[in-house]
Every structure is written in structure tokens, then in C-alpha cells.
Amino acid sequence: MYENFFDIYDKLMFDADYEKRAEYVLSLFCKYDKKPSLMLDLCCGTGNFSSLFAKNGIEIIGVDVSQEMLSVAKQKASKQGEDILYLCQNATELDLYGTVDGAVCLMDSLNHITDYEDFCKAVANVSLFLEKDRLFIFDLNTVYKAEKILGNNTFVSEEEGIFLSWVNEYDNTAKTNNIYLDIFSENSDGTYTRTSENITERAYDEMQIEQALSKAGLKILAVLDDMKKTPPTKDSQRVFYITKKL
């Protein structure tokens, strides 16, 4: 996944506001527990969150299935003088060297796991390497977003020399979004290079999420609307789960 445009991924995520989101996540750790000293950043991608957490004095283990994305993350860390351990692993086969006292999985990364058993396995793996009474915080795109916002729609955007075409196909039975991306990126000579990528996401309902967490020995402390300190509404597009290892 993302193997065809890892080198322009950050440009595509121009509106993610990583700094604000990192501050929000750290505030949740401080409210419901305390700032971790050693944190797992699962599905870390190109390392934007890993870098920001490291700047806050947290030792980071970044894990991602894409070697290409990790290559970008490692280049960033080297350039910025950051000592971050990056591991190329699938979330369903997570194997750390020891335990961590905090874990995150952000930007709806768990939605990319479309098999429910694998989703449960990924959550259980995080719990396995998380110290007792410590937090695992993650966010997910909602069923509402999958059905009502993405649906069977087409989106286009243009930013910083990149034109993106997004064709979405929603499968109501499987609750999956099949995403077909075409990216046209501008070269130094004014020509454009076309890159295509197909991505699938799955929306999980509350019961499925709660069952996966319960099986993994994780207690839900709070479910919050995206970037807020209040519960989600019926039309929330992304929600945050704050869970504690029992």
C-alpha cells in the first residue's frame, strides 16, 4: 500500500496538520494517564508523528509495513538528528524487543485492515507489548463517513504541483471503500508524471471495535469526536479511542 507514491505522500497530506494532532494526542495521554517514555507509533508511514513525539522527549518505535515509507521516515530522522527506531512489520505480525508504556495508531490506519480477524489480531498485538495500565490511543474513520461522505463519489484536488483524482466505490455489504487514485505530479521541467494506486478501507461498527478491544484486554476509557474532548455525534467522520491495558 502506498508503494507507488511514497515519495509524494507528504504533499498529498498537506492538510493533515500533524503538529496540532500530535499536541491533541499528547493531551489525551496526559489527561487519562501520563506522557509515555517509550511509545509505539504503529503504521507510522513517513514518520511525521514519530518525529513530533520524539521532539517531545519520547523514545519512539515506528512500525510500518511499507519499506518505501520507512525509507522516507529514516531519511527525515537522519536529517533532523533524531534517534528513532523504525521497523518494517505488518501490524498483524508485530514483534517488538520489549514492552512500551504507550501506543498510538493514527490517521485511520487501522481502517486499512479489511479483514476483521486481522483487525482483532493487530489490536491484540499492541496490547501484548503494552505495559499494564498504560494507554493505546487510535483513531478510525466511521461508518457514516464511509457511507455518506465517501460513498460512490469522485473527488479532485490540486496543491503544490500535484493534481489528485479520487474515485471511490462503496460496498455496503462489506462496509468497504475501494479507492482508486490517480496522481499527476509536476516535474522540474514542467511536465507531469502520472502515478496510480488502489487502496481499500473498511469501516467497523462500535460493536466490532468493542469486541476486538475486549478480547485484547483493553478497556475503553473514552471515545471522542475527532480533535475534540466531547463524544462523537451521529455524523462524526473520525473518532478517537482512548484505551487502557488491563
Tab-separated table of all heavy atoms in Angstrom, residues 7-55:
chain	number	residue	atom	x	y	z
A	7	ASP	N	6.937	8.748	-2.244
A	7	ASP	CA	7.796	9.917	-2.291
A	7	ASP	C	7.018	11.224	-2.365
A	7	ASP	O	7.590	12.299	-2.144
A	7	ASP	CB	8.764	9.822	-3.477
A	7	ASP	CG	8.053	9.582	-4.802
A	7	ASP	OD1	6.895	9.113	-4.777
A	7	ASP	OD2	8.651	9.853	-5.852
A	8	ILE	N	5.702	11.163	-2.664
A	8	ILE	CA	4.889	12.381	-2.679
A	8	ILE	C	3.769	12.317	-1.640
A	8	ILE	O	2.881	13.163	-1.618
A	8	ILE	CB	4.291	12.641	-4.075
A	8	ILE	CG1	3.418	11.457	-4.525
A	8	ILE	CG2	5.375	12.926	-5.093
A	8	ILE	CD1	2.670	11.716	-5.818
A	9	TYR	N	3.816	11.301	-0.787
A	9	TYR	CA	2.764	11.110	0.212
A	9	TYR	C	2.584	12.346	1.082
A	9	TYR	O	1.450	12.779	1.345
A	9	TYR	CB	3.094	9.898	1.088
A	9	TYR	CG	2.125	9.680	2.229
A	9	TYR	CD1	0.899	9.048	2.011
A	9	TYR	CD2	2.438	10.106	3.521
A	9	TYR	CE1	0.013	8.845	3.058
A	9	TYR	CE2	1.552	9.910	4.566
A	9	TYR	CZ	0.346	9.287	4.336
A	9	TYR	OH	-0.528	9.094	5.375
A	10	ASP	N	3.679	12.933	1.530
A	10	ASP	CA	3.580	14.093	2.419
A	10	ASP	C	2.909	15.279	1.737
A	10	ASP	O	2.186	16.048	2.377
A	10	ASP	CB	4.967	14.494	2.934
A	10	ASP	CG	5.500	13.505	3.962
A	10	ASP	OD1	4.675	12.805	4.595
A	10	ASP	OD2	6.724	13.416	4.124
A	11	LYS	N	3.138	15.438	0.449
A	11	LYS	CA	2.477	16.520	-0.276
A	11	LYS	C	0.971	16.279	-0.363
A	11	LYS	O	0.176	17.215	-0.291
A	11	LYS	CB	3.066	16.661	-1.684
A	11	LYS	CG	4.476	17.220	-1.713
A	11	LYS	CD	4.949	17.442	-3.147
A	11	LYS	CE	6.338	18.053	-3.175
A	11	LYS	NZ	6.803	18.279	-4.579
A	12	LEU	N	0.581	15.009	-0.497
A	12	LEU	CA	-0.839	14.680	-0.553
A	12	LEU	C	-1.522	14.920	0.790
A	12	LEU	O	-2.728	15.159	0.843
A	12	LEU	CB	-1.029	13.221	-0.969
A	12	LEU	CG	-0.570	12.836	-2.372
A	12	LEU	CD1	-0.723	11.334	-2.574
A	12	LEU	CD2	-1.362	13.588	-3.430
A	13	MET	N	-0.751	14.865	1.864
A	13	MET	CA	-1.295	15.047	3.207
A	13	MET	C	-1.075	16.470	3.705
A	13	MET	O	-0.905	16.704	4.905
A	13	MET	CB	-0.636	14.045	4.152
A	13	MET	CG	-0.887	12.587	3.787
A	13	MET	SD	-2.615	12.100	3.980
A	13	MET	CE	-2.730	12.056	5.761
A	14	PHE	N	-1.095	17.424	2.794
A	14	PHE	CA	-0.778	18.810	3.140
A	14	PHE	C	-1.709	19.396	4.188
A	14	PHE	O	-1.333	20.317	4.916
A	14	PHE	CB	-0.814	19.685	1.875
A	14	PHE	CG	-2.175	19.810	1.238
A	14	PHE	CD1	-3.038	20.817	1.614
A	14	PHE	CD2	-2.581	18.903	0.273
A	14	PHE	CE1	-4.298	20.924	1.028
A	14	PHE	CE2	-3.838	19.015	-0.312
A	14	PHE	CZ	-4.703	20.022	0.066
A	15	ASP	N	-2.939	18.882	4.293
A	15	ASP	CA	-3.909	19.457	5.226
A	15	ASP	C	-4.055	18.641	6.510
A	15	ASP	O	-4.987	18.838	7.285
A	15	ASP	CB	-5.277	19.585	4.552
A	15	ASP	CG	-5.836	18.244	4.090
A	15	ASP	OD1	-5.068	17.264	4.047
A	15	ASP	OD2	-7.039	18.186	3.786
A	16	ALA	N	-3.126	17.727	6.771
A	16	ALA	CA	-3.254	16.835	7.931
A	16	ALA	C	-3.030	17.555	9.255
A	16	ALA	O	-3.546	17.137	10.291
A	16	ALA	CB	-2.269	15.674	7.806
A	17	ASP	N	-2.232	18.631	9.261
A	17	ASP	CA	-1.914	19.391	10.471
A	17	ASP	C	-1.357	18.467	11.563
A	17	ASP	O	-1.916	18.310	12.647
A	17	ASP	CB	-3.140	20.146	10.992
A	17	ASP	CG	-2.747	21.338	11.865
A	17	ASP	OD1	-1.585	21.367	12.337
A	17	ASP	OD2	-3.584	22.227	12.083
A	18	TYR	N	-0.233	17.837	11.248
A	18	TYR	CA	0.379	16.874	12.160
A	18	TYR	C	0.706	17.472	13.525
A	18	TYR	O	0.527	16.816	14.555
A	18	TYR	CB	1.648	16.302	11.527
A	18	TYR	CG	1.400	15.365	10.378
A	18	TYR	CD1	1.546	15.789	9.056
A	18	TYR	CD2	1.030	14.043	10.592
A	18	TYR	CE1	1.326	14.923	7.988
A	18	TYR	CE2	0.807	13.171	9.537
A	18	TYR	CZ	0.952	13.621	8.231
A	18	TYR	OH	0.717	12.764	7.190
A	19	GLU	N	1.198	18.683	13.545
A	19	GLU	CA	1.577	19.288	14.823
A	19	GLU	C	0.380	19.420	15.757
A	19	GLU	O	0.459	19.085	16.944
A	19	GLU	CB	2.225	20.659	14.585
A	19	GLU	CG	3.596	20.581	13.948
A	19	GLU	CD	4.291	21.933	13.921
A	19	GLU	OE1	3.758	22.888	14.510
A	19	GLU	OE2	5.363	22.026	13.317
A	20	LYS	N	-0.720	19.911	15.230
A	20	LYS	CA	-1.926	20.065	16.046
A	20	LYS	C	-2.432	18.714	16.521
A	20	LYS	O	-2.857	18.558	17.677
A	20	LYS	CB	-3.006	20.789	15.243
A	20	LYS	CG	-4.245	21.132	16.043
A	20	LYS	CD	-5.232	21.934	15.200
A	20	LYS	CE	-6.477	22.299	16.006
A	20	LYS	NZ	-7.440	23.086	15.189
A	21	ARG	N	-2.377	17.720	15.647
A	21	ARG	CA	-2.848	16.393	16.025
A	21	ARG	C	-1.932	15.745	17.063
A	21	ARG	O	-2.397	15.064	17.989
A	21	ARG	CB	-2.977	15.493	14.790
A	21	ARG	CG	-4.157	15.876	13.915
A	21	ARG	CD	-4.396	14.912	12.766
A	21	ARG	NE	-5.665	15.264	12.124
A	21	ARG	CZ	-6.849	14.877	12.541
A	21	ARG	NH1	-6.937	14.064	13.587
A	21	ARG	NH2	-7.949	15.247	11.928
A	22	ALA	N	-0.638	15.939	16.928
A	22	ALA	CA	0.291	15.395	17.913
A	22	ALA	C	0.056	16.024	19.285
A	22	ALA	O	0.068	15.326	20.312
A	22	ALA	CB	1.728	15.628	17.459
A	23	GLU	N	-0.167	17.324	19.311
A	23	GLU	CA	-0.478	18.011	20.570
A	23	GLU	C	-1.759	17.465	21.193
A	23	GLU	O	-1.846	17.271	22.413
A	23	GLU	CB	-0.616	19.516	20.329
A	23	GLU	CG	0.693	20.211	19.985
A	23	GLU	CD	0.490	21.677	19.654
A	23	GLU	OE1	-0.676	22.147	19.742
A	23	GLU	OE2	1.468	22.352	19.304
A	24	TYR	N	-2.755	17.226	20.352
A	24	TYR	CA	-4.034	16.679	20.828
A	24	TYR	C	-3.832	15.299	21.449
A	24	TYR	O	-4.328	15.017	22.551
A	24	TYR	CB	-5.014	16.612	19.664
A	24	TYR	CG	-6.317	15.910	19.976
A	24	TYR	CD1	-7.300	16.526	20.746
A	24	TYR	CD2	-6.571	14.632	19.481
A	24	TYR	CE1	-8.500	15.882	21.027
A	24	TYR	CE2	-7.772	13.984	19.746
A	24	TYR	CZ	-8.732	14.612	20.517
A	24	TYR	OH	-9.914	13.980	20.790
A	25	VAL	N	-3.093	14.435	20.764
A	25	VAL	CA	-2.863	13.087	21.273
A	25	VAL	C	-2.089	13.127	22.588
A	25	VAL	O	-2.425	12.407	23.539
A	25	VAL	CB	-2.109	12.240	20.221
A	25	VAL	CG1	-1.670	10.899	20.815
A	25	VAL	CG2	-2.997	12.007	19.007
A	26	LEU	N	-1.087	13.963	22.670
A	26	LEU	CA	-0.324	14.082	23.914
A	26	LEU	C	-1.199	14.595	25.050
A	26	LEU	O	-1.035	14.188	26.212
A	26	LEU	CB	0.879	14.996	23.711
A	26	LEU	CG	2.014	14.416	22.857
A	26	LEU	CD1	3.103	15.451	22.635
A	26	LEU	CD2	2.597	13.158	23.503
A	27	SER	N	-2.136	15.470	24.732
A	27	SER	CA	-3.044	15.966	25.765
A	27	SER	C	-3.934	14.848	26.290
A	27	SER	O	-4.301	14.836	27.476
A	27	SER	CB	-3.895	17.118	25.218
A	27	SER	OG	-4.912	16.665	24.344
A	28	LEU	N	-4.279	13.893	25.417
A	28	LEU	CA	-5.083	12.759	25.851
A	28	LEU	C	-4.279	11.847	26.776
A	28	LEU	O	-4.801	11.334	27.774
A	28	LEU	CB	-5.584	11.973	24.643
A	28	LEU	CG	-6.530	12.715	23.692
A	28	LEU	CD1	-6.898	11.822	22.504
A	28	LEU	CD2	-7.793	13.177	24.408
A	29	PHE	N	-3.012	11.622	26.443
A	29	PHE	CA	-2.156	10.839	27.330
A	29	PHE	C	-2.072	11.486	28.705
A	29	PHE	O	-2.173	10.806	29.732
A	29	PHE	CB	-0.754	10.686	26.730
A	29	PHE	CG	-0.610	9.539	25.786
A	29	PHE	CD1	-0.523	9.744	24.418
A	29	PHE	CD2	-0.552	8.227	26.262
A	29	PHE	CE1	-0.392	8.681	23.537
A	29	PHE	CE2	-0.419	7.151	25.387
A	29	PHE	CZ	-0.333	7.385	24.019
A	30	CYS	N	-1.886	12.790	28.726
A	30	CYS	CA	-1.746	13.494	29.998
A	30	CYS	C	-3.044	13.498	30.795
A	30	CYS	O	-3.021	13.455	32.032
A	30	CYS	CB	-1.278	14.924	29.748
A	30	CYS	SG	0.405	15.047	29.116
A	31	LYS	N	-4.177	13.545	30.113
A	31	LYS	CA	-5.476	13.569	30.804
A	31	LYS	C	-5.829	12.203	31.378
A	31	LYS	O	-6.306	12.101	32.515
A	31	LYS	CB	-6.573	14.032	29.850
A	31	LYS	CG	-7.962	14.034	30.486
A	31	LYS	CD	-9.030	14.550	29.530
A	31	LYS	CE	-10.400	14.555	30.211
A	31	LYS	NZ	-11.469	15.077	29.334
A	32	TYR	N	-5.583	11.148	30.613
A	32	TYR	CA	-6.033	9.818	31.025
A	32	TYR	C	-4.931	8.959	31.638
A	32	TYR	O	-5.214	7.899	32.192
A	32	TYR	CB	-6.653	9.090	29.829
A	32	TYR	CG	-7.946	9.724	29.365
A	32	TYR	CD1	-7.950	10.642	28.310
A	32	TYR	CD2	-9.157	9.424	29.984
A	32	TYR	CE1	-9.138	11.238	27.880
A	32	TYR	CE2	-10.349	10.017	29.565
A	32	TYR	CZ	-10.328	10.919	28.520
A	32	TYR	OH	-11.506	11.514	28.092
A	33	ASP	N	-3.685	9.422	31.556
A	33	ASP	CA	-2.573	8.694	32.173
A	33	ASP	C	-1.428	9.666	32.370
A	33	ASP	O	-1.506	10.548	33.212
A	33	ASP	CB	-2.174	7.516	31.288
A	33	ASP	CG	-1.079	6.662	31.883
A	33	ASP	OD1	-0.941	6.667	33.115
A	33	ASP	OD2	-0.364	5.980	31.122
A	34	LYS	N	-0.388	9.548	31.594
A	34	LYS	CA	0.738	10.477	31.593
A	34	LYS	C	1.508	10.299	30.302
A	34	LYS	O	1.307	9.331	29.571
A	34	LYS	CB	1.653	10.238	32.796
A	34	LYS	CG	2.252	8.848	32.866
A	34	LYS	CD	3.080	8.682	34.128
A	34	LYS	CE	3.647	7.264	34.236
A	34	LYS	NZ	4.463	7.095	35.472
A	35	LYS	N	2.393	11.225	30.018
A	35	LYS	CA	3.172	11.135	28.783
A	35	LYS	C	4.070	9.908	28.819
A	35	LYS	O	4.793	9.687	29.785
A	35	LYS	CB	4.025	12.406	28.605
A	35	LYS	CG	4.751	12.446	27.270
A	35	LYS	CD	5.435	13.790	27.053
A	35	LYS	CE	6.678	13.921	27.894
A	35	LYS	NZ	7.460	15.135	27.548
A	36	PRO	N	4.029	9.093	27.774
A	36	PRO	CA	4.876	7.893	27.747
A	36	PRO	C	6.359	8.262	27.651
A	36	PRO	O	6.724	9.344	27.195
A	36	PRO	CB	4.422	7.168	26.473
A	36	PRO	CG	3.125	7.805	26.083
A	36	PRO	CD	3.189	9.212	26.573
A	37	SER	N	7.205	7.315	28.057
A	37	SER	CA	8.642	7.480	27.870
A	37	SER	C	9.115	6.700	26.650
A	37	SER	O	10.076	7.081	25.996
A	37	SER	CB	9.397	7.015	29.117
A	37	SER	OG	9.108	5.657	29.404
A	38	LEU	N	8.401	5.598	26.347
A	38	LEU	CA	8.699	4.772	25.176
A	38	LEU	C	7.379	4.444	24.483
A	38	LEU	O	6.549	3.716	25.039
A	38	LEU	CB	9.427	3.491	25.572
A	38	LEU	CG	9.702	2.471	24.460
A	38	LEU	CD1	10.554	3.088	23.354
A	38	LEU	CD2	10.380	1.219	25.028
A	39	MET	N	7.199	4.980	23.280
A	39	MET	CA	5.909	4.861	22.593
A	39	MET	C	6.033	4.096	21.280
A	39	MET	O	6.981	4.291	20.531
A	39	MET	CB	5.330	6.252	22.309
A	39	MET	CG	3.988	6.232	21.578
A	39	MET	SD	3.529	7.861	20.926
A	39	MET	CE	3.168	8.731	22.441
A	40	LEU	N	5.025	3.250	21.010
A	40	LEU	CA	4.882	2.601	19.721
A	40	LEU	C	4.032	3.481	18.820
A	40	LEU	O	2.919	3.865	19.190
A	40	LEU	CB	4.212	1.237	19.890
A	40	LEU	CG	3.694	0.571	18.605
A	40	LEU	CD1	4.846	0.210	17.677
A	40	LEU	CD2	2.841	-0.653	18.931
A	41	ASP	N	4.560	3.817	17.644
A	41	ASP	CA	3.794	4.528	16.619
A	41	ASP	C	3.515	3.522	15.517
A	41	ASP	O	4.318	3.338	14.605
A	41	ASP	CB	4.585	5.727	16.095
A	41	ASP	CG	3.807	6.551	15.079
A	41	ASP	OD1	2.602	6.274	14.885
A	41	ASP	OD2	4.397	7.471	14.482
A	42	LEU	N	2.361	2.849	15.621
A	42	LEU	CA	2.007	1.794	14.675
A	42	LEU	C	1.483	2.402	13.385
A	42	LEU	O	0.714	3.356	13.406
A	42	LEU	CB	0.945	0.886	15.297
A	42	LEU	CG	0.527	-0.338	14.479
A	42	LEU	CD1	1.691	-1.305	14.293
A	42	LEU	CD2	-0.651	-1.055	15.143
A	43	CYS	N	1.905	1.825	12.254
A	43	CYS	CA	1.552	2.363	10.927
A	43	CYS	C	2.038	3.805	10.824
A	43	CYS	O	1.277	4.724	10.483
A	43	CYS	CB	0.052	2.273	10.677
A	43	CYS	SG	-0.644	0.619	10.879
A	44	CYS	N	3.303	3.987	11.077
A	44	CYS	CA	3.889	5.324	11.213
A	44	CYS	C	4.099	6.037	9.888
A	44	CYS	O	4.370	7.239	9.859
A	44	CYS	CB	5.211	5.250	11.971
A	44	CYS	SG	6.498	4.316	11.103
A	45	GLY	N	4.014	5.318	8.758
A	45	GLY	CA	4.171	5.961	7.461
A	45	GLY	C	5.520	6.619	7.299
A	45	GLY	O	6.565	6.014	7.565
A	46	THR	N	5.517	7.876	6.880
A	46	THR	CA	6.775	8.595	6.643
A	46	THR	C	7.314	9.274	7.894
A	46	THR	O	8.211	10.102	7.815
A	46	THR	CB	6.590	9.642	5.533
A	46	THR	OG1	5.566	10.575	5.911
A	46	THR	CG2	6.202	8.984	4.217
A	47	GLY	N	6.754	8.929	9.050
A	47	GLY	CA	7.355	9.334	10.321
A	47	GLY	C	7.025	10.722	10.819
A	47	GLY	O	7.706	11.219	11.726
A	48	ASN	N	5.985	11.355	10.301
A	48	ASN	CA	5.669	12.710	10.741
A	48	ASN	C	5.288	12.769	12.221
A	48	ASN	O	5.778	13.630	12.957
A	48	ASN	CB	4.536	13.287	9.883
A	48	ASN	CG	4.974	13.544	8.457
A	48	ASN	OD1	5.980	14.181	8.211
A	48	ASN	ND2	4.231	13.006	7.496
A	49	PHE	N	4.424	11.855	12.668
A	49	PHE	CA	4.059	11.833	14.086
A	49	PHE	C	5.231	11.360	14.937
A	49	PHE	O	5.470	11.897	16.024
A	49	PHE	CB	2.844	10.933	14.310
A	49	PHE	CG	1.542	11.542	13.901
A	49	PHE	CD1	0.782	10.979	12.903
A	49	PHE	CD2	1.073	12.700	14.514
A	49	PHE	CE1	-0.434	11.540	12.520
A	49	PHE	CE2	-0.132	13.272	14.141
A	49	PHE	CZ	-0.886	12.693	13.142
A	50	SER	N	5.949	10.361	14.461
A	50	SER	CA	7.103	9.856	15.215
A	50	SER	C	8.072	10.984	15.530
A	50	SER	O	8.570	11.117	16.661
A	50	SER	CB	7.815	8.763	14.418
A	50	SER	OG	7.006	7.630	14.253
A	51	SER	N	8.344	11.814	14.535
A	51	SER	CA	9.269	12.929	14.716
A	51	SER	C	8.756	13.928	15.745
A	51	SER	O	9.505	14.385	16.610
A	51	SER	CB	9.502	13.626	13.372
A	51	SER	OG	10.330	14.761	13.529
A	52	LEU	N	7.482	14.249	15.665
A	52	LEU	CA	6.905	15.225	16.600
A	52	LEU	C	6.886	14.685	18.025
A	52	LEU	O	7.169	15.424	18.975
A	52	LEU	CB	5.495	15.595	16.151
A	52	LEU	CG	5.415	16.434	14.877
A	52	LEU	CD1	3.995	16.481	14.347
A	52	LEU	CD2	5.924	17.854	15.141
A	53	PHE	N	6.573	13.419	18.188
A	53	PHE	CA	6.597	12.830	19.530
A	53	PHE	C	8.027	12.778	20.069
A	53	PHE	O	8.263	13.001	21.260
A	53	PHE	CB	5.983	11.431	19.509
A	53	PHE	CG	4.508	11.411	19.236
A	53	PHE	CD1	3.963	10.478	18.363
A	53	PHE	CD2	3.657	12.321	19.835
A	53	PHE	CE1	2.603	10.457	18.099
A	53	PHE	CE2	2.283	12.314	19.582
A	53	PHE	CZ	1.758	11.375	18.709
A	54	ALA	N	8.983	12.473	19.191
A	54	ALA	CA	10.387	12.444	19.612
A	54	ALA	C	10.847	13.821	20.083
A	54	ALA	O	11.624	13.934	21.045
A	54	ALA	CB	11.265	11.951	18.468
A	55	LYS	N	10.365	14.849	19.409
A	55	LYS	CA	10.712	16.220	19.813
A	55	LYS	C	10.151	16.564	21.184
A	55	LYS	O	10.606	17.525	21.831
A	55	LYS	CB	10.200	17.224	18.774
A	55	LYS	CG	10.999	17.250	17.475
A	55	LYS	CD	10.457	18.274	16.508
A	55	LYS	CE	11.366	18.466	15.296
A	55	LYS	NZ	11.506	17.248	14.489
